[in-house]
Amino acid sequence: MISLRTLLALGALLLSLPLGAQNPFLRPSLELGMSSANLRMTQSGSSGPLGGIQGLRAGAGLELSLGPLTYISAGLYYQQLGANNELSRRGSRPLELGAQGLTGTEQLRLQYLSIPVAVGMRLAVPFVGAGVSGELGLSYNSALGGSYSYRAASHSERSATADYDPYRLPEEQRPSLSLKERDLALHLAAKLELGSFFLRLGIEQGLTNIWQDAPRRSSLRTTTSWLSLGYTLF
């Protein structure tokens, strides 16, 4: 597996090349966009309703051409994920076991470093500089940090208010919401190019149950979609 240090060194080397030294086989790019993130929670065979959050997605990508139509893409992105949960809503299930039977609002905000690797196919329009492509692959996600907060709906439950980092929990604090720092997700994306600029629409579905010490038959998986504007450097 390629280490994060190797990827950063490769990106720095590519960005240091002069624009005149164009390489048709390697295409580095920068990207900035907004994402809509949520969590899929399953408990005892049923899914509880969760509300999504809006976040930021930004980073750099690199494409390696394999021929006229196909390429391999990889990238390094900062990604915000999470979910909102209204416990007063009918059929809602708490993210934290300690909030069982309470009413109020839970919010989970996560910060990830995402490294997607995908195979893409591009259809280009000759002499126009336009093209459309699709990508399929996997994304390795590593948590940079996060925050869980609970706000009670009534003054009588004020003592149940909580704020903590779900990745930095001591053993004695469980059964609070404790999350795994590593995640693997299915990566799907489509890209519309016009000259050096492009729009990318993507979605990632988490394959890992990120709920540490999850109750029996329970799981928590990430899901994210995004729209970003990118610029191909050369």
Side-chain angles (χ1 to χ4, degrees), residues 27 29 31 57 61-64 69-75 77 116-122 132-138 186-193 198-204 226:
R27 305 177 68 208
S29 62
E31 211 167 322
R57 180 180 172 90
L62 180 66
E63 290 183 6
L64 171 64
L69 298 177
T70 59
Y71 62 91
I72 293 178
S73 70
Y77 298 92
V117 178
V119 175
M121 293 193 67
R122 177 183 292 109
V132 61
S133 59
E135 300 173 359
L136 172 63
L138 294 173
L186 177 65
H187 174 93
L188 296 169
K191 186 167 68 168
L192 176 63
E193 300 176 71
F198 62 86
L199 284 173
R200 192 195 304 271
L201 176 66
I203 184 170
E204 287 183 357
W226 70 88

Side-chain angles (χ1 to χ4, degrees), residues 180 182-183 206-212 214-215 218-221:
K180 301 175 184 177
R182 304 290 182 263
D183 186 20
L207 303 175
T208 305
N209 181 6
I210 64 171
W211 200 345
Q212 187 89 332
S218 299
S219 66
L220 197 62
R221 290 181 169 84

Side-chain angles (χ1 to χ4, degrees), residues 35-217:
S35 66
S36 177
N38 209 329
L39 294 173
R40 290 174 293 148
M41 180 174 61
T42 301
Q43 292 183 348
S44 302
S46 62
S47 297
L50 296 175
I53 66 168
Q54 306 303 309
L56 174 70
R57 180 180 172 90
L62 180 66
E63 290 183 6
L64 171 64
S65 176
L66 299 179
L69 298 177
T70 59
Y71 62 91
I72 293 178
S73 70
L76 192 63
Y77 298 92
Y78 169 78
Q79 174 76 57
Q80 294 177 336
L81 290 85
N84 290 305
N85 193 19
E86 295 289 340
L87 295 180
S88 56
R89 184 167 45 185
R90 183 179 179 182
S92 63
R93 297 169 180 270
L95 287 166
E96 191 202 283
L97 298 182
Q100 192 75 41
L102 300 178
T103 59
T105 303
E106 292 179 300
Q107 185 177 83
L108 182 62
R109 288 192 171 273
L110 311 176
Q111 301 178 60
Y112 271 30
L113 183 65
S114 299
I115 307 176
V117 178
V119 175
M121 293 193 67
R122 177 183 292 109
L123 295 177
V125 181
F127 312 113
V128 179
V132 61
S133 59
E135 300 173 359
L136 172 63
L138 294 173
S139 180
Y140 172 76
N141 303 319
S142 178
L144 300 174
S147 64
Y148 167 85
S149 63
Y150 168 76
R151 295 293 177 267
S154 64
H155 295 291
S156 61
E157 295 176 347
R158 185 174 296 174
S159 60
T161 299
D163 288 281
Y164 58 83
D165 185 340
Y167 298 108
R168 306 287 186 270
L169 282 174
E171 287 289 336
E172 63 272 10
Q173 198 167 336
R174 296 177 183 175
S176 299
L177 181 66
S178 180
L179 301 180
K180 301 175 184 177
E181 296 184 4
R182 304 290 182 263
D183 186 20
L184 187 66
L186 177 65
H187 174 93
L188 296 169
K191 186 167 68 168
L192 176 63
E193 300 176 71
L194 185 60
S196 296
F197 292 92
F198 62 86
L199 284 173
R200 192 195 304 271
L201 176 66
I203 184 170
E204 287 183 357
Q205 295 287 347
L207 303 175
T208 305
N209 181 6
I210 64 171
W211 200 345
Q212 187 89 332
D213 302 327
R216 188 165 175 253
R217 300 176 63 189

